[in-house]
Amino acid sequence: MYTLKDAPMGSTVSVIKIHGEGPIKRRIMDMGITKDCKIKLVRTAPLGDPIEMTLRGYQLSLRKEDATMIEVKLEG
């Protein structure tokens, strides 16, 4: 399984599935991360956590712990 946490910076990925359950999964989906969503990884914070990304026309920062729940595939 290839997760958002494992994707290289600067790459664009597509969401395959969101793992997890309950309020955590719901919160991730409420941020706009859904199946087939395209995400461009921009950079990480100086200490490596969180990850900054662009999706659906806005910037989002997500903790690496939450990024491990998002299964992705590389685009292009």
Side-chain angles (χ1 to χ4, degrees):
M1 181 174 79
Y2 192 65
T3 66
L4 188 60
K5 179 185 173 192
D6 303 324
M9 284 301 124
S11 64
T12 300
V13 296
S14 180
V15 176
I16 296 172
K17 183 176 180 178
I18 300 171
H19 298 277
E21 55 189 63
I24 296 170
K25 183 175 181 178
R26 179 83 247 160
R27 185 175 58 100
I28 290 171
M29 292 175 72
D30 287 345
M31 287 187 272
I33 301 173
T34 57
K35 186 176 181 194
D36 297 326
C37 175
K38 304 284 189 265
I39 300 173
K40 175 155 177 62
L41 296 163
V42 179
R43 64 179 160 243
T44 58
L47 297 176
D49 199 18
I51 303 168
E52 185 179 331
M53 59 196 79
T54 302
L55 65 135
R56 301 184 189 272
Y58 72 96
Q59 300 281 83
L60 175 68
S61 292
L62 189 67
R63 296 181 316 182
K64 283 187 175 182
E65 180 182 336
D66 294 336
T68 60
M69 297 179 198
I70 303 166
E71 186 176 345
V72 297
K73 65 178 177 181
L74 280 172
E75 287 293 306

XYZ file of all heavy atoms in Angstrom:
588
model
N 0.847 -1.187 0.000
C 0.000 0.000 0.000
C 0.889 1.246 0.000
O 1.819 1.366 0.788
C -0.901 -0.018 1.232
C -1.833 1.163 1.306
S -3.026 1.072 2.654
C -2.022 1.579 4.016
N 0.609 2.168 -0.888
C 1.357 3.418 -1.043
C 0.516 4.538 -0.452
O -0.604 4.776 -0.907
C 1.613 3.632 -2.537
C 2.603 4.697 -2.877
C 3.943 4.577 -2.524
C 2.210 5.827 -3.575
C 4.860 5.550 -2.861
C 3.121 6.800 -3.924
C 4.439 6.656 -3.565
O 5.351 7.617 -3.899
N 1.009 5.215 0.580
C 0.211 6.232 1.261
C 0.680 7.641 0.913
O 1.759 7.832 0.355
C 0.269 6.058 2.793
O 1.600 6.321 3.237
C -0.177 4.672 3.213
N -0.117 8.607 1.272
C 0.216 10.011 1.046
C 1.516 10.379 1.755
O 2.300 11.170 1.246
C -0.938 10.890 1.524
C -0.869 12.364 1.208
C -0.808 12.602 -0.295
C -2.069 13.091 1.791
N 1.765 9.798 2.894
C 3.002 10.057 3.643
C 4.232 9.617 2.849
O 5.280 10.246 2.920
C 2.966 9.334 4.984
C 4.212 9.521 5.801
C 4.169 8.681 7.060
C 5.494 8.753 7.771
N 5.619 7.775 8.817
N 4.117 8.543 2.073
C 5.234 7.976 1.319
C 5.498 8.682 -0.006
O 6.551 8.481 -0.605
C 4.969 6.494 1.019
C 4.728 5.688 2.283
O 5.376 5.990 3.301
O 3.897 4.774 2.248
N 4.559 9.478 -0.485
C 4.691 10.122 -1.795
C 5.784 11.191 -1.760
O 5.928 11.908 -0.771
C 3.363 10.750 -2.198
N 6.573 11.300 -2.841
C 7.657 12.291 -2.870
C 7.134 13.722 -3.008
O 6.113 13.952 -3.665
C 8.477 11.887 -4.099
C 7.559 11.075 -4.925
C 6.558 10.455 -4.018
N 7.828 14.663 -2.386
C 7.450 16.073 -2.486
C 7.532 16.530 -3.939
O 8.425 16.125 -4.668
C 8.363 16.949 -1.627
C 8.083 16.881 -0.154
S 6.403 17.364 0.245
C 5.858 15.919 1.115
N 6.588 17.350 -4.351
C 6.555 17.849 -5.718
C 5.732 16.983 -6.653
O 5.455 17.371 -7.777
N 5.335 15.804 -6.192
C 4.569 14.902 -7.053
C 3.069 15.184 -6.933
O 2.603 15.821 -5.994
C 4.849 13.450 -6.680
O 4.405 13.178 -5.368
N 2.333 14.687 -7.906
C 0.871 14.755 -7.886
C 0.364 13.332 -7.756
O 0.814 12.436 -8.462
C 0.325 15.398 -9.168
O 0.858 16.719 -9.279
C -1.192 15.481 -9.136
N -0.577 13.148 -6.836
C -1.126 11.821 -6.581
C -2.645 11.863 -6.684
O -3.255 12.922 -6.626
C -0.708 11.287 -5.183
C 0.791 11.103 -5.091
C -1.200 12.193 -4.074
N -3.228 10.691 -6.827
C -4.673 10.534 -6.858
C -5.071 9.621 -5.713
O -4.442 8.583 -5.486
C -5.082 9.925 -8.199
O -6.468 9.754 -8.262
N -6.125 9.987 -5.002
C -6.570 9.215 -3.840
C -7.296 7.959 -4.309
O -8.200 8.027 -5.136
C -7.487 10.055 -2.932
C -8.019 9.226 -1.776
C -6.754 11.276 -2.413
N -6.879 6.820 -3.773
C -7.545 5.548 -4.075
C -8.585 5.230 -2.996
O -9.715 4.897 -3.294
C -6.516 4.394 -4.149
C -5.558 4.635 -5.305
C -7.217 3.049 -4.292
C -4.406 3.658 -5.350
N -8.159 5.349 -1.730
C -9.039 4.989 -0.623
C -8.596 5.683 0.650
O -7.402 5.916 0.834
C -9.007 3.468 -0.425
C -9.936 2.959 0.638
C -9.917 1.452 0.721
C -10.882 1.017 1.806
N -10.969 -0.426 1.920
N -9.549 5.967 1.509
C -9.244 6.515 2.834
C -9.521 5.419 3.851
O -10.641 4.927 3.957
C -10.089 7.760 3.146
C -9.811 8.839 2.110
C -9.790 8.276 4.547
C -10.738 10.015 2.181
N -8.476 5.022 4.567
C -8.613 3.995 5.597
C -8.970 4.681 6.911
O -8.915 5.887 7.035
C -7.309 3.206 5.723
C -6.943 2.482 4.466
N -7.461 1.264 4.123
C -6.125 2.838 3.437
C -6.972 0.884 2.961
N -6.149 1.829 2.515
N -9.305 3.897 7.890
C -9.703 4.466 9.170
C -11.213 4.441 9.288
O -11.919 4.006 8.380
N -11.694 4.934 10.398
C -13.130 4.913 10.629
C -13.540 6.031 11.569
O -12.699 6.674 12.196
C -13.555 3.557 11.197
C -12.799 3.160 12.441
C -13.092 1.738 12.853
O -12.789 0.810 12.090
O -13.638 1.586 13.952
N -14.829 6.253 11.641
C -15.377 7.215 12.576
C -15.007 8.654 12.286
O -14.882 9.067 11.138
N -14.813 9.436 13.349
C -14.603 10.879 13.194
C -13.324 11.256 12.448
O -13.288 12.276 11.770
C -14.558 11.405 14.629
C -14.578 10.240 15.530
C -14.897 9.018 14.729
N -12.295 10.435 12.523
C -11.046 10.762 11.823
C -11.264 10.698 10.315
O -10.889 11.613 9.582
C -9.903 9.815 12.264
C -9.597 10.020 13.737
C -8.669 10.044 11.416
C -8.671 8.994 14.325
N -11.882 9.630 9.845
C -12.170 9.487 8.413
C -13.099 10.606 7.946
O -12.896 11.200 6.904
C -12.790 8.119 8.134
C -13.035 7.874 6.664
C -13.531 6.466 6.426
C -13.752 6.218 4.949
N -14.185 4.838 4.691
N -14.092 10.919 8.748
C -15.052 11.977 8.400
C -14.347 13.331 8.297
O -14.613 14.121 7.405
C -16.142 12.033 9.475
C -17.191 13.094 9.246
C -18.244 12.592 8.284
N -18.145 13.370 7.060
C -18.610 13.006 5.887
N -19.197 11.849 5.751
N -18.502 13.759 4.848
N -13.419 13.610 9.215
C -12.689 14.882 9.212
C -11.831 15.002 7.953
O -11.791 16.057 7.321
C -11.814 14.994 10.460
C -11.115 16.334 10.598
C -10.368 16.419 11.901
N -9.386 15.367 12.026
C -8.081 15.531 11.792
N -7.608 16.700 11.449
N -7.247 14.537 11.928
N -11.159 13.914 7.579
C -10.343 13.926 6.364
C -11.224 14.198 5.143
O -10.883 14.998 4.274
C -9.569 12.593 6.221
C -8.477 12.520 7.294
C -8.965 12.461 4.827
C -7.788 11.175 7.395
N -12.367 13.555 5.077
C -13.277 13.759 3.947
C -13.855 15.169 3.946
O -14.041 15.769 2.881
C -14.379 12.708 3.964
C -13.848 11.316 3.677
S -15.087 10.029 3.819
C -16.063 10.372 2.366
N -14.123 15.730 5.114
C -14.638 17.102 5.206
C -13.623 18.129 4.719
O -13.991 19.216 4.287
C -15.047 17.438 6.647
C -16.327 16.749 7.075
O -17.054 16.241 6.199
O -16.598 16.702 8.291
N -12.329 17.784 4.766
C -11.290 18.684 4.261
C -11.193 18.637 2.739
O -10.400 19.363 2.150
C -9.930 18.315 4.871
C -9.821 18.699 6.324
S -8.161 18.452 6.952
C -8.227 16.755 7.478
N -11.973 17.772 2.106
C -11.976 17.696 0.647
C -11.187 16.543 0.079
O -11.076 16.400 -1.136
N -10.610 15.709 0.928
C -9.841 14.562 0.452
C -10.808 13.392 0.295
O -11.232 12.792 1.273
C -8.697 14.216 1.427
C -7.766 15.418 1.584
C -7.935 13.003 0.932
C -6.708 15.245 2.642
N -11.159 13.119 -0.962
C -12.087 12.039 -1.274
C -11.504 11.180 -2.386
O -10.486 11.528 -2.982
C -13.451 12.594 -1.715
O -13.248 13.458 -2.833
C -14.133 13.367 -0.592
N -12.157 10.079 -2.690
C -11.682 9.172 -3.732
C -11.546 9.922 -5.055
O -12.388 10.754 -5.393
C -12.653 8.005 -3.885
C -12.161 6.951 -4.832
C -13.085 5.778 -4.888
C -12.491 4.764 -5.856
N -13.445 3.753 -6.227
N -10.469 9.634 -5.784
C -10.144 10.228 -7.092
C -9.733 11.695 -7.030
O -9.550 12.323 -8.069
C -11.288 10.053 -8.095
C -11.555 8.596 -8.408
O -10.593 7.808 -8.417
O -12.732 8.239 -8.643
N -9.597 12.256 -5.844
C -9.137 13.639 -5.682
C -7.655 13.718 -6.045
O -6.871 12.861 -5.667
C -9.353 14.069 -4.235
S -8.724 15.696 -3.842
N -7.268 14.751 -6.793
C -5.874 14.967 -7.174
C -5.221 15.870 -6.124
O -5.765 16.914 -5.764
C -5.768 15.642 -8.542
C -6.478 14.903 -9.651
C -5.695 13.703 -10.097
C -6.286 13.087 -11.338
N -7.188 12.000 -11.090
N -4.050 15.459 -5.626
C -3.329 16.201 -4.589
C -1.904 16.449 -5.064
O -1.224 15.516 -5.486
C -3.298 15.419 -3.262
C -4.711 15.165 -2.752
C -2.469 16.150 -2.218
C -4.773 14.254 -1.543
N -1.456 17.700 -4.994
C -0.063 18.035 -5.310
C 0.646 18.304 -3.994
O 0.243 19.166 -3.228
C 0.026 19.263 -6.203
C 1.475 19.689 -6.439
C 1.645 20.447 -7.713
C 3.039 20.937 -7.925
N 4.060 19.936 -8.037
N 1.698 17.546 -3.729
C 2.479 17.731 -2.507
C 3.448 18.884 -2.711
O 4.243 18.871 -3.646
C 3.218 16.448 -2.161
C 2.277 15.292 -1.838
C 3.002 13.979 -1.900
C 1.648 15.490 -0.500
N 3.372 19.885 -1.842
C 4.154 21.100 -1.999
C 5.438 21.047 -1.190
O 6.522 21.213 -1.725
C 3.310 22.337 -1.601
C 4.121 23.600 -1.729
C 2.051 22.414 -2.446
N 5.332 20.829 0.133
C 6.517 20.797 0.997
C 6.148 20.263 2.371
O 4.985 20.123 2.702
C 7.135 22.182 1.115
C 6.233 23.189 1.798
C 6.880 24.557 1.931
N 5.837 25.536 2.126
C 5.576 26.525 1.303
N 6.287 26.679 0.217
N 4.613 27.370 1.549
N 7.200 19.999 3.155
C 6.992 19.611 4.549
C 7.463 20.748 5.438
O 8.257 21.590 5.017
C 7.784 18.334 4.915
O 9.153 18.576 4.678
C 7.316 17.144 4.128
N 7.003 20.746 6.651
C 7.452 21.735 7.632
C 8.927 21.477 7.953
O 9.436 20.385 7.703
C 6.600 21.633 8.894
N 9.629 22.456 8.523
C 11.059 22.289 8.819
C 11.413 21.045 9.632
O 12.444 20.442 9.413
C 11.412 23.559 9.590
C 10.449 24.572 9.093
C 9.171 23.815 8.832
N 10.565 20.634 10.529
C 10.835 19.438 11.325
C 10.210 18.178 10.722
O 10.210 17.118 11.354
C 10.368 19.630 12.761
C 11.082 20.745 13.531
C 10.475 20.923 14.917
C 12.569 20.472 13.634
N 9.646 18.299 9.513
C 9.122 17.136 8.806
C 7.645 16.856 8.983
O 7.104 15.971 8.339
N 6.977 17.568 9.837
C 5.554 17.334 10.066
C 4.897 18.671 10.388
O 5.413 19.392 11.247
C 5.382 16.357 11.229
C 4.026 15.689 11.279
O 3.324 15.691 10.257
O 3.676 15.159 12.351
N 3.862 19.100 9.754
C 2.970 18.439 8.796
C 3.437 18.568 7.342
O 4.455 19.195 7.064
C 1.651 19.183 8.996
C 2.062 20.566 9.354
C 3.330 20.398 10.173
N 2.615 17.994 6.444
C 2.846 18.059 5.006
C 1.909 19.116 4.429
O 0.728 19.136 4.768
C 2.523 16.701 4.349
C 3.337 15.578 4.965
C 2.721 16.767 2.846
C 2.875 14.192 4.569
N 2.434 19.978 3.570
C 1.591 20.979 2.907
C 1.277 20.494 1.500
O 2.149 19.985 0.798
C 2.301 22.326 2.830
C 1.416 23.404 2.251
C 2.097 24.752 2.185
O 2.976 25.024 3.020
O 1.758 25.516 1.274
N 0.008 20.626 1.106
C -0.434 20.150 -0.200
C -1.465 21.096 -0.795
O -2.014 21.934 -0.082
C -1.023 18.750 -0.068
C -2.194 18.673 0.877
S -2.601 17.002 1.386
C -1.368 16.724 2.617
N -1.678 20.964 -2.091
C -2.700 21.737 -2.789
C -3.710 20.759 -3.364
O -3.342 19.787 -4.019
C -2.073 22.557 -3.936
O -1.071 23.415 -3.390
C -3.119 23.402 -4.633
N -4.982 21.022 -3.094
C -6.057 20.219 -3.658
C -7.300 21.068 -3.788
O -7.517 21.970 -2.983
C -6.346 18.985 -2.795
C -6.889 19.230 -1.400
C -8.042 18.287 -1.132
C -5.806 19.011 -0.388
N -8.070 20.822 -4.835
C -9.332 21.534 -5.075
C -9.185 23.056 -4.997
O -10.070 23.769 -4.551
C -10.398 21.062 -4.115
C -10.689 19.582 -4.212
C -11.828 19.174 -3.311
N -11.959 17.747 -3.239
C -12.688 17.008 -4.074
N -13.326 17.576 -5.057
N -12.753 15.705 -3.917
N -7.995 23.569 -5.369
C -7.785 25.007 -5.419
C -7.416 25.677 -4.104
O -7.439 26.894 -4.001
N -7.095 24.912 -3.077
C -6.664 25.525 -1.816
C -5.500 24.756 -1.204
O -5.223 23.627 -1.580
C -7.835 25.639 -0.826
C -8.298 24.338 -0.216
C -7.827 23.930 1.024
C -9.233 23.534 -0.862
C -8.246 22.753 1.592
C -9.662 22.349 -0.297
C -9.172 21.964 0.927
O -9.593 20.790 1.483
N -4.813 25.401 -0.279
C -3.672 24.823 0.436
C -4.177 24.128 1.698
O -5.061 24.643 2.377
C -2.683 25.905 0.845
C -2.106 26.694 -0.304
C -1.015 25.944 -1.010
O -1.285 25.120 -1.868
N 0.203 26.223 -0.656
N -3.594 22.993 2.009
C -3.974 22.227 3.188
C -2.719 21.652 3.826
O -1.824 21.196 3.123
C -4.923 21.087 2.784
C -5.325 20.102 3.876
C -6.220 20.782 4.910
C -6.048 18.916 3.272
N -2.655 21.690 5.137
C -1.577 21.032 5.877
C -2.183 19.859 6.630
O -3.248 19.980 7.234
C -0.925 21.996 6.862
O -0.226 22.989 6.172
N -1.494 18.731 6.573
C -2.001 17.511 7.183
C -0.868 16.811 7.920
O 0.237 16.703 7.389
C -2.563 16.597 6.083
C -3.339 15.368 6.512
C -4.649 15.780 7.183
C -3.641 14.505 5.296
N -1.144 16.334 9.118
C -0.134 15.605 9.888
C 0.203 14.289 9.196
O -0.655 13.671 8.565
C -0.654 15.299 11.289
C -0.917 16.520 12.123
C -1.398 16.158 13.492
N -2.404 15.093 13.414
C -3.046 14.584 14.441
N -2.800 15.021 15.636
N -3.932 13.635 14.284
N 1.447 13.869 9.339
C 1.872 12.616 8.723
C 1.085 11.429 9.269
O 0.815 10.474 8.548
C 3.368 12.396 8.923
C 4.210 13.241 8.007
C 5.670 12.870 8.104
C 6.481 13.645 7.090
N 7.897 13.280 7.135
N 0.709 11.496 10.528
C -0.089 10.429 11.136
C -1.405 10.239 10.382
O -1.835 9.121 10.130
C -0.366 10.770 12.603
C -1.193 9.744 13.334
C -1.483 10.158 14.769
O -0.708 10.955 15.331
O -2.479 9.674 15.312
N -2.040 11.353 10.000
C -3.281 11.279 9.235
C -3.015 10.902 7.776
O -3.838 10.244 7.140
C -4.023 12.614 9.296
C -4.502 12.940 10.699
O -4.677 12.002 11.515
O -4.709 14.132 10.997
N -1.865 11.310 7.245
C -1.525 11.007 5.853
C -1.317 9.514 5.629
O -1.483 9.036 4.509
C -0.265 11.778 5.444
N -0.987 8.766 6.682
C -0.815 7.314 6.524
C -2.144 6.606 6.266
O -2.142 5.478 5.806
C -0.153 6.696 7.766
O -0.966 6.932 8.906
C 1.242 7.235 7.991
N -3.263 7.258 6.527
C -4.580 6.660 6.312
C -5.086 6.834 4.875
O -6.110 6.286 4.526
C -5.593 7.295 7.262
C -5.322 7.064 8.702
S -6.563 7.878 9.685
C -5.756 7.922 11.246
N -4.342 7.611 4.066
C -4.807 7.928 2.733
C -3.976 7.151 1.712
O -2.789 7.423 1.520
C -4.711 9.452 2.472
C -5.511 10.192 3.540
C -5.201 9.788 1.077
C -5.237 11.674 3.601
N -4.607 6.183 1.067
C -3.938 5.368 0.055
C -3.990 6.112 -1.279
O -5.064 6.585 -1.686
C -4.647 4.014 -0.064
C -3.949 3.047 -0.970
C -4.625 1.684 -0.986
O -5.453 1.401 -0.092
O -4.325 0.913 -1.905
N -2.845 6.238 -1.947
C -2.759 7.022 -3.174
C -1.977 6.272 -4.261
O -1.325 5.276 -3.991
C -2.070 8.389 -2.935
C -2.857 9.246 -1.973
C -0.636 8.213 -2.444
N -2.075 6.797 -5.492
C -1.231 6.331 -6.594
C -0.653 7.558 -7.276
O -1.286 8.619 -7.325
C -2.010 5.484 -7.586
C -3.095 6.240 -8.333
C -3.788 5.363 -9.323
C -4.912 6.177 -9.981
N -5.654 5.393 -10.941
N 0.568 7.421 -7.795
C 1.226 8.527 -8.490
C 0.547 8.792 -9.825
O 0.154 7.857 -10.517
C 2.704 8.212 -8.732
C 3.634 8.415 -7.558
C 5.009 7.880 -7.885
C 3.713 9.870 -7.173
N 0.417 10.058 -10.174
C -0.162 10.460 -11.458
C 0.939 10.595 -12.495
O 2.036 11.013 -12.175
C -0.895 11.796 -11.309
C -2.195 11.701 -10.563
C -3.241 10.911 -11.300
O -3.531 11.237 -12.464
O -3.765 9.951 -10.717
N 0.597 10.319 -13.708
C 1.414 10.621 -14.850
C 2.668 9.919 -15.023
O 3.505 10.091 -15.777
